[in-house]
Amino acid sequence: MERKTFMLTDEQRVRREAQTRLAEEVRSMLHQNERERLHWTGTTTDLMEALHVAFDTGLLTNDEGDPMSFMQIVRQACRILHHRMPGNPYDAAMRGTRRKGVLRHNYADRYCYLLGTGHEQPFFDCIV
């Protein structure tokens, strides 16, 4: 039986690298102390979309090494960033991914763009 190999296009490779970088930024943020009084300056939709992209990578783990659930990530991020948790974080994240450039591109596309223009940590640019 012949085994099929799938080659990633350059665009797919860049997108995957951006998702990994975003997950690393989210991981770093999740390890901050809530007493640092960090605040998210972007929209709730952008935050939920960014957290969901990081969750989808499977790179975020809890103290026991198990993958964190999306809700664990959201609760911890909202606590650290002193941001009100939306009633349905999953819906807020999906709303962001459905944007097709109507008023803004989705967060993942903007994150890729910012990485390409030399921003070192685009996610942290929205945290003060």
Side-chain angles (χ1 to χ4, degrees):
M1 178 174 210
E2 184 179 325
R3 185 176 178 167
K4 293 184 179 183
T5 31
F6 296 97
M7 299 296 290
L8 294 177
T9 65
D10 286 340
E11 184 177 328
Q12 290 170 322
R13 192 173 5 269
V14 167
R15 189 166 194 76
R16 184 163 292 166
E17 288 172 12
Q19 290 168 341
T20 301
R21 293 262 314 261
L22 176 57
E24 290 168 359
E25 283 191 68
V26 170
R27 179 188 296 133
S28 177
M29 178 272 300
L30 292 175
H31 287 95
Q32 301 297 312
N33 191 315
E34 100 179 77
R35 283 180 250 127
E36 292 182 48
R37 305 294 302 163
L38 300 175
H39 291 277
W40 177 257
T41 61
T43 67
T44 299
T45 300
D46 282 351
L47 177 59
M48 294 302 115
E49 184 186 354
L51 296 177
H52 198 272
V53 168
F55 161 74
D56 275 344
T57 67
L59 298 174
L60 302 179
T61 57
N62 62 19
D63 294 337
E64 289 84 38
D66 296 320
M68 292 178 77
S69 72
F70 179 58
M71 287 303 292
Q72 287 174 320
I73 295 167
V74 169
R75 280 190 203 100
Q76 191 169 340
C78 287
R79 183 177 43 78
I80 290 168
L81 296 175
H82 300 89
H83 193 82
R84 185 182 62 79
M85 191 169 124
N88 186 341
Y90 180 79
D91 184 55
M94 293 305 103
R95 211 177 3 218
T97 61
R98 288 190 299 263
R99 286 188 285 212
K100 298 287 184 198
V102 177
L103 294 176
R104 299 182 85 172
H105 291 288
N106 65 46
Y107 185 81
D109 289 345
R110 287 182 280 133
Y111 186 87
C112 285
Y113 172 80
L114 291 171
L115 280 178
T117 59
H119 284 74
E120 289 295 315
Q121 295 182 311
F123 180 75
F124 271 104
D125 288 349
C126 290
I127 297 174
V128 293

